[in-house]
Amino acid sequence: MLTITQALYDQIVAHARGDHPDEACGVVAGPAGAGRPERFIPMLNAARSPTFYEFDSQDLLKLYREMDDRDEEPVIIYHSHTATEAYPSRTDIGYANEPGAHYVLVSTADTDGLGEFQFRSFRILDGEVTEEDVEVVAAY
């Protein structure tokens, strides 16, 4: 299960909406080994595409160095889908290389008739996708 604060949840959704019609992407880092998302890090979609996202390699290298210096790890890796449901594509699954991370997808398309966006979390390990519950809390 992913437990996330309302503030982080709102920041991820706002980033997804703000970058629409392009896909948004980013990371939420947390203390190494704690599994607790704390620091919101919106990234630039280097692909600037409505159907694909890509972290800029230099920005990603800088981020990983910064997380190392702060004794953090990527707890959440998120991106948005602008025209499809919030479910990992084959490309998303292929790029999933953080076995301990929660992969959050926000769809800015109303694909299920339940509202203007979906927020879903997955674990992706060795190509296997498992959806998990999301608990939104006021604070940790």
Side-chain angles (χ1 to χ4, degrees):
M1 175 189 307
L2 169 62
T3 302
I4 185 171
T5 64
Q6 184 70 55
L8 288 170
Y9 179 97
D10 292 346
Q11 287 176 300
I12 291 170
V13 171
H15 186 203
R17 287 178 169 160
D19 279 12
H20 188 88
D22 290 339
E23 290 192 4
C25 58
V27 173
V28 182
R36 188 177 60 245
E38 292 184 352
R39 188 166 64 97
F40 176 69
I41 308 158
M43 304 284 284
L44 174 69
N45 178 355
R48 297 181 188 239
S49 168
T51 59
F52 180 75
Y53 83 97
E54 179 177 36
F55 291 117
D56 178 89
S57 59
Q58 294 291 22
D59 289 347
L60 199 56
L61 179 60
K62 180 181 170 192
L63 172 62
Y64 272 82
R65 286 181 176 157
E66 184 179 285
M67 285 191 297
D68 270 351
D69 290 346
R70 296 171 63 122
D71 198 26
E72 292 176 327
E73 64 188 1
V75 179
I76 295 172
I77 298 171
Y78 73 87
H79 76 280
S80 62
H81 283 180
T82 61
T84 60
E85 72 173 319
Y87 191 86
S89 68
R90 281 184 287 154
T91 303
D92 298 339
I93 295 165
Y95 283 143
N97 61 1
E98 286 289 345
H102 302 270
Y103 286 88
V104 165
L105 278 103
V106 176
S107 176
T108 54
D110 183 4
T111 58
D112 59 6
L114 296 177
E116 57 196 67
F117 72 92
Q118 299 173 333
F119 187 107
R120 297 168 73 185
S121 183
F122 304 88
R123 294 293 190 144
I124 304 174
L125 186 59
D126 297 326
E128 183 82 23
V129 177
T130 306
E131 186 165 8
E132 60 184 349
D133 290 333
V134 176
E135 180 182 19
V136 180
V137 296
Y140 298 122

